[in-house]
Amino acid sequence: MAVGAGFSFFPTRLSLNHPKATATATATVRTRICRCALKAAEMTVSITGATGFIGRRLVQKLLSDDHKVCVLTRSATKAASVFPPSAYPGIRIAELEDWEQCVKGSTAVVNLAGMPISTRWSPQIKREIMQSRINATSKVVDHINNAGADARPSVFVSATAIGYYGTSETNSFDETSPSGNDYLAEVCREWEGRARQVNEEDVRLVLLRIGVVLGKDGGALAKMIPLFMMFAGGPLGTGRQWFSWIHVDDLVDLIYESLKNPAYRGVINGTAPNPVRLSEMCERLGQVMGRPSWLPVPELALKAVLGEGATVVLEGQKVLPVRASQLGFSYRYPYVGDALKAIAKDLVP
């Protein structure tokens, strides 16, 4: 009988009802199930923007959990300097011509690519901010869609930003709120529009609208910390603008959960559940660093340095992570004071 063939390794022929046969068969099935579950849990993740502030932390987390990573980059030299092969043996670095092969062999793709926006916006810079996001996203989506059904990644996590909602000192925004009408809102709409072109019949799409990411190694905080260290820190502009933030560890956890958990789908705000006014954030930062935070940076000074880009810090928005809360996501740092304390431990003796 075909069903008996599975027991042909026994030294003597046993009935399927024999206790020894039953116990052995059960053990074999359990072993196969465990192996299948283990194989399913192992991911190969292709990442754009892997050499950036968020990407580096995500790569480290994936490798620490024994997943494989393919860094999708335009410069193998730069990527190798961030992830030297001797220290990161589980990484594959792929330049543009090899992106397609990496994507086809991946369980998941994370798209974090994009030119930083915290700079003075000339017409040329604004074009580059837009194109850096659209081009990378389009390329990844094309590779996913062109892959055969058996080679296509099962999930695509694409970063976007809370700039989608526009700015306001009075309104609150969640995932159901409409888009704003300023330049960053336009960038986010185009960015998300390209991501939505992925074949969602086969691929689970997660759009993470990310807030201001806090960490000592990058983002807005890395630019503010030196000012506070020199006793020159304080609110930017009026200080009344909302500051929707997230600790980098929480954001990496949110991305990781989005990769693993099939309930994570569609738009999810990548922010902490307790946004604050910028004046409070600066006050908390001064407290944990043992520095004053009374010296405000005037709007004119910011506009002189950043031009139109100053609107990012001079206006702001109150964004709430309703979907993450509904999904039961657990934050390590739900309050800005705790997040800043954790970061400041590595800064102040």
Side-chain angles (χ1 to χ4, degrees), residues 153-157 198-206 257-266:
S154 61
V155 57
F156 177 38
V157 178
V198 76
N199 183 350
E200 292 192 62
E201 290 184 4
D202 298 324
V203 181
R204 178 168 56 87
L205 173 64
V206 181
E257 193 66 21
S258 297
L259 293 173
K260 298 189 302 174
N261 191 331
Y264 284 64
R265 182 184 296 272

Side-chain angles (χ1 to χ4, degrees), residues 178-200:
S179 182
N181 54 16
D182 58 14
Y183 166 69
L184 286 181
E186 179 186 359
V187 170
C188 291
R189 287 194 301 272
E190 291 290 329
W191 196 1
E192 293 184 14
R194 297 305 173 98
R196 290 183 189 276
Q197 292 176 7
V198 76
N199 183 350
E200 292 192 62

Side-chain angles (χ1 to χ4, degrees), residues 220-269:
L221 201 60
K223 297 185 178 183
M224 296 174 69
I225 285 171
L227 294 175
F228 279 84
M229 295 296 287
M230 295 186 295
F231 296 86
L236 307 179
T238 66
R240 287 193 49 76
Q241 60 272 47
W242 282 103
F243 188 77
S244 295
W245 60 278
I246 187 169
H247 190 286
V248 64
D249 289 345
D250 279 327
L251 178 58
V252 168
D253 286 349
L254 187 60
I255 296 171
Y256 192 56
E257 193 66 21
S258 297
L259 293 173
K260 298 189 302 174
N261 191 331
Y264 284 64
R265 182 184 296 272
V267 175
I268 300 175
N269 286 335

Side-chain angles (χ1 to χ4, degrees), residues 3-55:
V3 70
F7 300 96
S8 61
F9 52 83
F10 289 118
T12 57
R13 196 165 185 82
L14 299 173
S15 166
L16 291 179
N17 293 322
H18 191 285
K20 185 175 180 180
T22 302
T24 306
T26 301
T28 302
V29 170
R30 285 176 178 168
T31 299
R32 288 174 178 171
I33 290 173
C34 288
R35 285 175 178 169
C36 288
L38 179 62
K39 185 176 181 181
E42 294 173 349
M43 295 187 292
T44 299
V45 185
S46 288
I47 307 174
T48 68
T51 59
F53 170 44
I54 301 165

